[in-house]
Amino acid sequence: MQTLFQDLRYATRQLIRNLGLTITAVVSLALGIGATTAVFSVIYATLVNPYPYPAADRIVRLTVSSKANFSDGINLNGSQVKQLQQLHSVEGMLAMDYDAMNLTGHDLPENVNTISLISNGFHDLGVSPIVGRGLSPSDARDGQEPQPVVVLSYKFWQKHFFGDRAVLGQTLQLDQKNYVIVGVAAPRFTWYSADVFLPLKLMQAPSRRYIIDILLKPGATRDAANAELQPLLKQFAQTMPKQFPEHFKVQVEGLNDWVIKSIGGTLYLLFGAVGLLLAIGCGNVSILLLARGTARQHELAVRAAIGANRRRIVRQLLSESLLLAIIGALLGVALAYGILAGMQMVLPKYAFAPEVVIRINLPVLLFSIGVALGTGVLFGLWPALQLSRPQLSRMVLSGTRRVAGSVHGRRMHDVLIAGQIALTLLLLAGAGSAMEGFARLMHTPLGYDPNNIVSVGVPLHKNAFPAWAARAAYFEQLRASVAETPGVTMAAISSNATPPRNGSNLRFELLGKPSTDQQMGSINLVDSDYFPALRIPLLQGRLWSEAENQNGAHVAVINQTLARSYFPNGDAVGHSVKLPDIESRPPEVLSAPGAADAWLMIVGVVADARNDGLKNPVKPAVFIPYTLSMSEGTQILARSDVPPLTLMHAVGKQVSAVNPEQQIYNNLEDLNVWVSEEPEWQQDHLVSWIFGLFAVLGLALAAVGLYSVVSYTVAQRTNEFGIRMALGAGRGHVLRIVFSSTLVSVGGGVLCGLALTLGLNKIVAQWADGNARDPVVLLAGSLLLCLVAGIACAIPARRASRVNPMTALRCD
């Protein structure tokens, strides 16, 4: 034990004596451990274990896909839900209805997002409330009105009741009706981001349809569920054909499939990037330890000469390596928390489930620490075993050895440096590709002006304004009131048409032209002020008038893409279009009389504007008066001459002036934010930032590793340089020797990096919207790497060229 303490004290002195080496090695390990742990913690939280529900892998969403490969969820009514419950593969149904209700008692009506959940929902989801109980079957019996009870979400409980556990039995007033609080959901129970949960009255009017999730029985596969559901949904389609595509295929999807599709590949790509960073960091440590061991040959020979045995020397070198690795691991743990906090700031806001809780993943942290300790042991043990049997003659020939160096050691250094350079170039090429793609995305023409305009969501209370004329008049009254807000220059109705991902994907027919199932377009419900509010230019014809809008006139405006595709002669104005899938489901959806069967005259053509995200081509679009089909809510686009979010309280006042009980949605955002929250924008932003950061860190680590090797090489060859300069060699000659010693490793690393980049381009390009094979990206990355390598070599080379020959000759 005493000798162990002696070894640790001596190791500490050695690390302090070689402070530059110590700091470099510790930082290299800490960056690798911290970055790897943080990124995998995000992957684990969002892709591996995103939900708190014990049977999350058996909960699936009911969707159907058409022949045109469009996939969409299907809502069903109460009797249809009952039929699905009888299927062999189904254990439980998670039917629910979303509603925006009004919480009174504040300056303005406050919107509350409610989920009316089927009574078995809490039981099937399997997460117990932290206070009270969840919803139970007795809260909503068939043939009876649901009990006036409510379960609060954890966030709502904290915000409105400050976490008071005595909340049970208190009353919550929603839409002027009192509900008794019977429970508070667990913190991670955020099913469909609800504020509160109410019992669902399943057997209502056949027109009332619900969002459907299915709990499969243990052992039931998704394919088996699809096979059982297909014939039953075909029966449903016969009674409600407008809800289903003409030819469809049932395809249930897992709860987290949408996250895996949208951002899963991006996160795995980033994990590959931090894996490279960890490899570069460990390579740095190995280079430093090998170089340090080679430089200490003389010291170890002296220790052996005065009686130190091999075991003692190996233990001493290992204690130094392990101490270095332990310090790096401890710093890496602290750094992991910091990197994770930084990542959460740039992670896409709506790219994963609201139930996700991102925290440090302990198994990965332990694995990364193990890699760091393993690196310390391996590359500390290697020189220790080689140098623990020194010959006494080395003391005599130490000057010669410094001239010649160790050929094997130099080769090992060259291989490690080349590997670092190759991995760094791969990171640089990936980062360059991602940044190039993100820059291109940011300059994508939108076709509309998103500046200084905000979308104000206005939900209607359930069964409000059940008459078509009254609802149309109410929406227009709200729009006119918002337009009168001081600072608002224009207001327009955009029921479902707020870009850059807007409209309902429905079939359309053109009079006199053949129709197919795949003739789908973006159907937008707007008023005529929509186009000037978004500054979308009119190219042909006219827009409909306010009177036509209020009367539900059978008119339409199409976009340039639809006009080019179906009217190549430029004669679209005057033709007619039909939208057969527009339906009327009172009181939820009120359509103008005969809207689904009417031919709508095309009166104008407008310029294209993004309507299917930022990367997909613009879809054919039809714009019709919003009064042709009005659901229980709308959106009002408000353009202002000041930052629009500063006017939201005033806008809320204007809405409340029309109807004191009318709330607006809480999450108001301007249209620039709508653009930045698109999945492709968020994905490219995440990849470019984090990939770029890791590439810079990798470049710095590779430069430090190269600098360390060249510095140790110069120190070993001090005698040689002194002899050469004493015999007449100039400084330029010494500089050439130093640079040529690294030419092979750097050049080989660049070539290997180019080969790796070209070989892995498909993987990188799949999730980074750029081309890693772009000659500009490859050339820029290679030149940057060579420049940094040149600077890393130039500093010790300059020091070697300025050595005093007499001092060098006396150097041992």
Side-chain angles (χ1 to χ4, degrees), residues 440-781:
R440 186 166 58 246
L441 186 70
M442 289 184 69
H443 292 90
T444 298
L446 297 175
Y448 67 96
D449 182 6
N451 298 304
N452 278 8
I453 188 166
V454 69
S455 175
V456 182
V458 183
L460 291 187
H461 300 155
K462 190 174 292 186
N463 300 327
F465 299 98
W468 177 84
R471 187 172 295 184
Y474 182 64
F475 285 164
E476 172 55 27
Q477 193 177 3
L478 290 174
R479 186 208 64 79
S481 184
V482 170
E484 294 173 0
T485 306
V488 172
T489 58
M490 181 175 290
I493 294 287
S494 168
S495 292
N496 68 336
T498 302
R501 194 179 297 273
N502 52 279
S504 302
N505 193 55
L506 298 175
R507 288 188 306 120
F508 64 90
E509 300 174 9
L510 295 169
L511 187 62
K513 295 182 180 291
S515 177
T516 66
D517 292 342
Q518 299 184 13
Q519 194 166 286
M520 308 287 287
S522 172
I523 311 304
N524 301 267
L525 303 162
V526 300
D527 67 3
S528 56
D529 288 335
Y530 170 87
F531 305 101
L534 288 174
R535 296 175 181 167
I536 300 174
L538 177 68
L539 302 180
Q540 285 181 264
R542 66 177 180 88
L543 303 176
W544 58 82
S545 66
E546 183 178 339
E548 287 176 314
N549 186 78
Q550 286 303 305
N551 295 329
H554 295 168
V555 293
V557 168
I558 64 174
N559 70 346
Q560 201 172 2
T561 293
L562 193 150
R564 268 198 307 259
S565 300
Y566 296 94
F567 305 99
N569 297 326
D571 58 345
V573 175
H575 284 76
S576 296
V577 61
K578 180 190 284 188
L579 307 174
D581 292 336
I582 286 184
E583 58 179 335
S584 182
R585 289 187 289 110
E588 296 174 72
V589 180
L590 304 179
S591 295
D597 299 321
W599 287 100
L600 312 178
M601 178 176 289
I602 299 172
V603 297
V605 177
V606 294
D608 281 341
R610 291 280 167 183
N611 59 8
D612 193 24
L614 302 177
K615 292 183 181 178
N616 298 325
V618 175
K619 296 190 295 188
V622 180
F623 298 88
I624 60 175
Y626 72 87
T627 50
L628 288 179
S629 182
M630 293 176 291
S631 61
E632 292 181 318
T634 190
Q635 296 179 66
I636 300 175
L637 297 178
R639 179 170 288 282
S640 61
D641 50 14
V642 296
L645 293 182
T646 63
L647 303 176
M648 286 306 98
H649 186 77
V651 168
K653 285 279 191 183
Q654 290 295 111
V655 171
S656 182
V658 175
N659 179 358
E661 296 182 6
Q662 180 61 65
Q663 76 273 31
I664 60 176
Y665 284 122
N666 300 326
N667 55 336
L668 297 174
E669 295 167 337
D670 62 55
L671 296 201
N672 274 318
V673 175
W674 283 58
V675 171
S676 65
E677 287 179 350
E678 279 296 296
E680 54 265 45
W681 196 99
Q682 296 273 4
Q683 177 175 296
D684 284 9
H685 176 256
L686 176 68
V687 172
S688 60
W689 266 97
I690 298 186
F691 226 127
L693 175 63
F694 291 161
V696 170
L697 293 176
L699 183 64
L701 292 178
V704 170
L706 183 59
Y707 170 81
S708 303
V709 167
V710 176
S711 294
Y712 274 109
T713 303
V714 167
Q716 284 182 275
R717 301 178 71 181
T718 303
N719 280 35
E720 175 190 346
F721 295 146
I723 293 171
R724 288 177 182 273
M725 295 179 73
L727 295 176
R731 289 182 176 178
H733 180 72
V734 174
L735 287 172
R736 284 196 299 273
I737 291 175
V738 175
F739 275 101
S740 63
S741 67
T742 60
L743 184 62
V744 173
S745 56
V746 173
V750 169
L751 292 176
C752 290
L754 290 173
L756 273 175
T757 302
L758 294 174
L760 298 175
N761 176 64
K762 288 185 178 180
I763 297 175
V764 175
Q766 185 176 2
W767 302 107
D769 189 24
N771 181 16
R773 291 183 178 179
D774 187 339
V776 175
V777 172
L778 291 176
L779 182 61

Side-chain angles (χ1 to χ4, degrees), residues 120-457:
N120 60 284
F122 273 78
H123 175 269
D124 286 348
L125 289 171
V127 179
S128 300
I130 60 169
V131 178
R133 65 174 178 87
L135 300 176
S136 67
S138 61
D139 293 328
R141 301 183 186 278
D142 288 344
Q144 300 178 12
E145 286 298 312
Q147 295 296 313
V149 297
V150 62
V151 176
L152 309 181
S153 71
Y154 182 84
K155 186 182 293 186
F156 188 90
W157 176 54
Q158 291 289 328
K159 178 181 177 181
H160 292 275
F161 295 92
F162 309 105
D164 183 8
R165 300 183 72 87
V167 70
L168 297 182
Q170 295 187 34
T171 299
L172 189 71
Q173 190 177 74
L174 301 172
D175 286 355
Q176 304 299 323
K177 181 179 178 180
N178 291 328
Y179 293 85
V180 177
I181 299 171
V182 296
V184 177
R188 288 187 65 190
F189 190 98
T190 57
W191 188 249
Y192 280 74
S193 301
D195 292 322
V196 301
F197 300 90
L198 303 175
L200 174 69
K201 182 180 180 181
L202 186 63
M203 302 303 291
Q204 297 188 49
S207 63
R208 197 77 192 182
R209 299 201 293 262
Y210 310 109
I211 303 168
I212 300 299
D213 290 277
I214 300 172
L215 176 63
L216 300 178
K217 288 182 179 177
T221 65
R222 296 184 188 180
D223 288 340
N226 290 336
E228 266 199 299
L229 288 164
Q230 184 72 34
L232 187 56
L233 263 66
K234 280 189 175 181
Q235 293 180 25
F236 297 162
Q238 293 174 2
T239 59
M240 36 196 269
K242 291 183 179 179
Q243 167 126 10
F244 292 84
E246 191 167 347
H247 301 284
F248 67 87
K249 182 178 180 181
V250 175
Q251 189 168 3
V252 296
E253 295 182 352
L255 280 184
N256 216 44
D257 285 3
W258 64 279
V259 178
I260 295 171
K261 290 176 184 177
S262 65
I263 201 173
T266 300
L267 292 178
Y268 284 124
L269 182 65
L270 289 177
F271 188 58
V274 296
L276 294 179
L277 187 65
L278 181 61
I280 292 170
C282 291
N284 235 14
V285 174
S286 63
I287 290 170
L288 293 170
L289 292 177
L290 289 173
R292 184 199 63 172
T294 304
R296 294 176 66 185
Q297 294 178 84
H298 188 70
E299 173 204 337
L300 297 176
V302 170
R303 295 186 68 179
I306 60 176
N309 59 35
R310 186 188 185 197
R311 182 178 176 183
R312 188 78 169 81
I313 292 174
V314 169
R315 191 173 67 185
Q316 176 61 54
L317 292 177
L318 270 181
S319 63
E320 294 175 21
S321 302
L322 275 175
L323 184 59
L324 197 67
I326 290 170
I327 296 172
L330 292 176
L331 184 60
V333 172
L335 200 58
Y337 286 93
I339 293 175
L340 185 61
M343 282 191 66
Q344 287 178 294
M345 295 175 64
V346 297
L347 280 172
K349 190 175 179 181
Y350 301 112
F352 38 81
E355 288 92 341
V356 166
V357 175
I358 299 175
R359 57 170 67 97
I360 290 297
N361 185 264
L362 188 59
V364 176
L365 182 62
L366 295 176
F367 170 76
S368 301
I369 292 173
V371 170
L373 296 178
T375 300
V377 171
L378 176 63
F379 290 98
L381 187 62
W382 192 341
L385 293 176
Q386 285 184 320
L387 303 175
S388 60
R389 290 182 174 176
Q391 302 291 331
L392 292 180
S393 58
R394 290 190 180 185
M395 294 175 60
V396 180
L397 300 176
S398 61
T400 305
R401 299 297 285 174
R402 287 192 177 229
V403 173
S406 169
V407 174
H408 180 72
R410 288 184 183 180
R411 286 177 180 171
M412 178 58 65
H413 291 159
D414 287 345
V415 170
L416 290 172
I417 285 292
Q420 271 194 319
I421 295 292
L423 296 179
T424 304
L425 182 56
L426 178 59
L427 268 179
L428 286 172
S433 171
M435 291 177 181
E436 178 189 48
F438 184 53
R440 186 166 58 246
L441 186 70
M442 289 184 69
H443 292 90
T444 298
L446 297 175
Y448 67 96
D449 182 6
N451 298 304
N452 278 8
I453 188 166
V454 69
S455 175
V456 182

Side-chain angles (χ1 to χ4, degrees), residues 718 721-722 725 731 798-808:
T718 303
F721 295 146
M725 295 179 73
R731 289 182 176 178
R798 183 173 177 270
R799 189 165 61 243
S801 69
R802 294 193 172 194
V803 70
N804 188 313
M806 294 306 297
T807 303

